C-alpha cells in the first residue's frame, strides 16, 4: 500500500517517487495548503477507491499518516 499512496502523492505534487517517503511532511516538505488537500483527497479516492474524510485528513501530517489510514482499511 505504501507504494500506491506514494505514487498518488507523486502525481498530485509533481515530486518524483524517489523524493517521497512516509516521513515526508505535507505542509513543510510538500507545501500543501487546504485547497491542495481537497484535490489530493479526490485523487486518492479516484485511484485507491477511498479517502479519509476532510476532518481526519486535516489531522494528518505526513505521507505515513495516509499510508496508515489505508493499511487500517484493509
Amino acid at each position: 500500500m505504501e507504494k500506491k499512496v506514494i505514487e498518488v502523492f507523486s502525481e498530485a505534487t509533481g515530486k518524483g517517487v524517489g523524493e517521497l517517503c512516509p516521513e515526508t511532511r505535507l505542509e513543510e516538505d510538500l507545501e500543501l495548503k487546504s485547497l491542495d488537500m481537497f484535490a489530493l483527497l479526490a485523487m486518492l479516492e479516484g485511484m485507491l477507491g477511498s479517502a479519509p474524510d476532510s476532518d481526519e485528513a486535516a489531522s494528518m501530517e505526513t505521507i505515513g499518516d495516509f499510508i496508515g489510514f489505508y493499511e487500517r482499511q484493509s
Side-chain angles (χ1 to χ4, degrees):
M1 184 54 65
E2 179 177 323
K3 181 179 176 185
K4 289 180 182 180
V5 172
I6 287 177
E7 287 171 354
V8 175
F9 272 87
S10 174
E11 186 171 327
T13 64
K15 302 272 187 190
V17 171
E19 297 176 69
L20 304 173
C21 67
E23 293 78 24
T24 302
R25 298 169 298 173
L26 305 179
E27 289 185 22
E28 295 87 348
D29 300 328
L30 299 178
E31 300 178 0
L32 290 180
K33 306 297 179 214
S34 60
L35 188 56
D36 300 322
M37 185 62 77
F38 283 112
L40 175 66
L41 292 175
M43 287 185 78
L44 287 164
E45 186 162 4
M47 297 176 82
L48 300 178
S50 67
D53 64 39
S54 57
D55 289 335
E56 185 173 5
S59 69
M60 296 180 173
E61 297 180 357
T62 66
I63 291 176
D65 292 334
F66 279 86
I67 293 168
F69 168 82
Y70 286 102
E71 288 175 347
R72 289 188 301 275
Q73 299 302 307
S74 43

